[in-house]
Amino acid sequence: MSKIAVIAGVGPGLGAAIARKFADEGCNLALLSRSSAYSINLSKRLEETGISAIPIPTDITDAGQVTDSFAKIRQELGVPDILVNHAGNAAWGNLSELTAEAFENSWRVCTLGAFLCVKQVVPGMIEKGEGTILFSGATSAVRGRSGAIAFSSAKFAMRGLASSLAREVGPQGIHVAHVIIDGIIDSPNLRERYKLSENEPLLKPDACRNLLGTRSAGTQCVEF
């Protein structure tokens, strides 16, 4: 029987690459994202490989939406075996520039959103006696940097969530890993959004997707 994987945070970069990796391995997929247009197109392409993929527009900071989305997943696909917490919000700026709203929103997407998704999958995984929960982290999860107060603090919090969760559910057969991607991932319109030099080294999404399996170059897997 095919495994069921939920990807929380699916866009045209690493999120899509992660979805393709699980599709390649024969998993049925639920794709959670704020933008329905992209995830709908991606799900159609993935289903051409023979798996089932359902796109579900979801604001993962909204507990009600998360509850409804996972109810739909269980109804249409079954109880999830795998959860990938990949959603993130990068609010850049120095202390004097950053607003309280932007700071809070980074935490809500990276940490609260992951917490709400975890709450939905753990009971089913405990009943099965197995499961996998993965968190995509960044260098900022272990080392803060100037201009990234919101992002760094949110990623630190996500790492703490993953570490504590591993100790709580690990004995019940659930594998938890926090994976640090040490570099900037290339994606559409990246250079338009950020001021990067022409020779800025960028990581390719399909190369980074192996963070879910082998430890490829440019990634660090932290298992608790």
Side-chain angles (χ1 to χ4, degrees):
M1 182 177 293
S2 297
K3 297 284 188 180
I4 298 165
V6 181
I7 317 297
V10 177
L14 182 56
I18 293 171
R20 288 193 295 270
K21 177 178 176 61
F22 279 109
D24 290 345
E25 295 182 358
C27 293
N28 292 324
L29 298 171
L31 311 179
L32 306 187
S33 66
R34 286 174 294 179
S35 173
S36 60
Y38 181 79
S39 58
I40 288 172
N41 290 332
L42 177 61
S43 66
K44 291 178 180 178
R45 295 196 300 271
L46 293 173
E47 287 191 325
E48 293 175 357
T49 67
I51 58 94
S52 295
I54 57 172
I56 309 178
T58 309
D59 177 356
I60 65 167
T61 69
D62 185 312
Q65 287 192 37
V66 173
T67 297
D68 291 345
S69 293
F70 277 88
K72 180 179 176 69
I73 293 167
R74 289 188 289 268
Q75 180 180 15
E76 297 192 16
L77 295 178
V79 176
D81 301 284
I82 302 159
L83 169 66
V84 181
N85 289 302
H86 179 59
N89 177 276
W92 306 110
N94 296 323
L95 179 64
S96 60
E97 302 166 330
L98 199 64
T99 66
E101 181 181 9
F103 182 88
E104 180 182 8
N105 196 47
S106 287
W107 170 82
R108 291 181 66 84
V109 174
C110 292
T111 312
L112 176 62
F115 168 79
L116 293 174
C117 291
V118 165
K119 290 273 284 185
Q120 289 293 319
V121 301
V122 164
M125 291 180 177
I126 290 176
E127 187 173 340
K128 288 184 177 184
E130 63 180 1
T132 300
I133 300 174
L134 303 172
F135 296 79
S136 64
T139 310
S140 290
V142 293
R143 184 177 68 249
R145 63 187 178 87
S146 177
I149 291 176
F151 184 68
S152 295
S153 60
K155 283 297 186 179
F156 262 81
M158 174 188 272
R159 183 166 173 254
L161 169 62
S163 179
S164 295
L165 179 67
R167 287 165 173 78
E168 181 174 332
V169 302
Q172 295 163 289
I174 302 173
H175 174 69
V176 179
H178 173 266
V179 185
I180 296 171
I181 304 171
D182 192 11
I184 301 174
I185 300 173
D186 198 4
S187 63
N189 303 320
L190 177 71
R191 293 186 185 276
E192 294 179 11
R193 294 198 307 268
Y194 303 110
K195 295 179 181 179
L196 303 177
S197 63
E198 288 299 322
N199 60 350
E200 181 77 36
L202 300 175
L203 303 175
K204 296 300 181 183
D206 282 318
C208 295
R209 72 181 193 167
N210 288 326
L211 62 89
L212 299 171
T214 58
R215 301 181 186 184
S216 59
T219 67
Q220 176 188 355
C221 182
V222 181
E223 299 183 2
F224 304 103

